[in-house]
Amino acid sequence: MRIAVTIFLTDETITPVRLARELEQRGFAGLYLPEHTHIPVERTSPYPAGGELPREYGRTLDPFVALGQAAAVTGLLGLGTGITLAAQHDPIDLAKQIATLDHLSGGRFTLGVGFGWNVEEAADHGVEWRTRRALVRDRIGLMRALWADEPTAYEGEFGSVRASTAYPKPVQKPRGPVSGPRTLVGGAAGPKLFADICAYADGWLPIGGRGLTEALPALRSAWADAGRDPAALQVVPYAVRPSAGKLEHFAELGVEEVVAQLPPAGETEVLRALDALQPFVDGPGS
């Protein structure tokens, strides 16, 4: 099983360069970074995990800039977002960022997309909360028009683009209805999420991985009903606190990659956390 990591990189933590080098040397599969542009001080959106919102949420580095640094000092390490808040981006600019990072890294980028939880943050970007899922799907469609081999126009519900010359292109070739980098959708299990995954993604980023035994049959059924290749579905539990038993259970479910959570800390603490994860990277079946 491949073991990747995620971390809230901030202006107070280990740097992207130091972490990426360490991960590649230790044999980790990838580095996934979250995104928050800002956290409005006056908000009513509750922190999904409960309690006070941790300090790091308002201090996150831009994931594409940080992953660009990581790409420059590694050659094998996977690079991903967990997740990109696609509704909060201009899709033409985002398509260029994604394609550039994927091109410069030699196709190592995974686009994790999601719908967000912070209503106030999204509102400052002009996002209407009730239509954000449809907006994300529209953003994906527009970006894929720009990534097409031939100039392709796109007219969507929320945006459009003329047939355009737009390079570089993402490295990975189209597969089924999906084009561009490997695309995984984050969110809680349910028919709406599974419909999105089947329509425009390669798989699912379930936070923590709880409830997979019950949820996976429904996702696999929706995937098959959509005419997708059963062998192509990827499920990547995200922000996991690994244990031998948990990883064994995931493997029994057909999971091939897990993203472990690192603390949003300085170099000493992060390296100590990597030491604790190392047996899972080096162990049987890794």
Side-chain angles (χ1 to χ4, degrees), residues 71-118:
V73 297
T74 58
L76 298 173
L77 187 70
L79 309 161
T81 51
I83 48 83
T84 295
L85 295 166
Q88 298 181 186
H89 288 266
D90 177 292
I92 299 174
D93 286 341
L94 183 58
K96 175 68 76 171
Q97 287 177 284
I98 290 169
T100 299
L101 178 55
D102 197 53
H103 168 73
L104 292 177
S105 68
R108 288 186 279 147
F109 181 61
T110 291
L111 174 63
V113 295
F115 311 106
W117 60 268
N118 192 322

Side-chain angles (χ1 to χ4, degrees), residues 80-275:
T81 51
I83 48 83
T84 295
L85 295 166
Q88 298 181 186
H89 288 266
D90 177 292
I92 299 174
D93 286 341
L94 183 58
K96 175 68 76 171
Q97 287 177 284
I98 290 169
T100 299
L101 178 55
D102 197 53
H103 168 73
L104 292 177
S105 68
R108 288 186 279 147
F109 181 61
T110 291
L111 174 63
V113 295
F115 311 106
W117 60 268
N118 192 322
V119 178
E120 292 76 25
E121 177 185 357
D124 283 349
H125 286 279
V127 176
E128 187 174 347
W129 194 247
R130 66 178 182 83
T131 60
R132 72 193 189 284
R133 286 180 177 271
L135 177 58
V136 169
R137 186 182 292 216
D138 199 60
R139 295 279 196 256
I140 297 290
L142 191 154
M143 291 194 294
R144 286 179 174 162
L146 291 169
W147 296 335
D149 289 336
E150 299 296 329
T152 302
Y154 180 83
E155 186 69 40
E157 181 182 356
F158 300 95
S160 62
V161 68
R162 296 172 175 84
S164 304
T165 301
Y167 286 82
K169 304 296 184 185
V171 173
Q172 191 165 347
K173 298 304 180 186
R175 58 270 176 210
V178 183
S179 62
R182 181 173 74 146
T183 302
L184 305 172
V185 182
K192 289 182 179 179
L193 180 79
F194 293 166
D196 286 321
I197 292 170
C198 296
Y200 61 80
D202 296 296
W204 183 24
L205 273 178
I207 302 297
R210 294 182 64 182
L212 282 186
T213 303
E214 295 74 26
L216 276 180
L219 174 56
R220 287 173 173 149
S221 177
W223 187 266
D225 290 346
R228 303 293 299 274
D229 177 5
L233 176 62
Q234 300 179 49
V235 177
V236 182
Y238 189 81
V240 171
R241 308 287 182 179
S243 68
K246 188 180 295 185
L247 295 183
E248 182 178 346
H249 175 61
F250 288 156
E252 291 170 351
L253 295 174
V255 169
E256 297 180 350
E257 180 182 0
V258 170
V259 183
Q261 181 71 60
L262 291 178
E267 183 172 317
T268 299
E269 186 175 344
V270 169
L271 294 184
R272 189 181 303 122
L274 291 181
D275 288 340

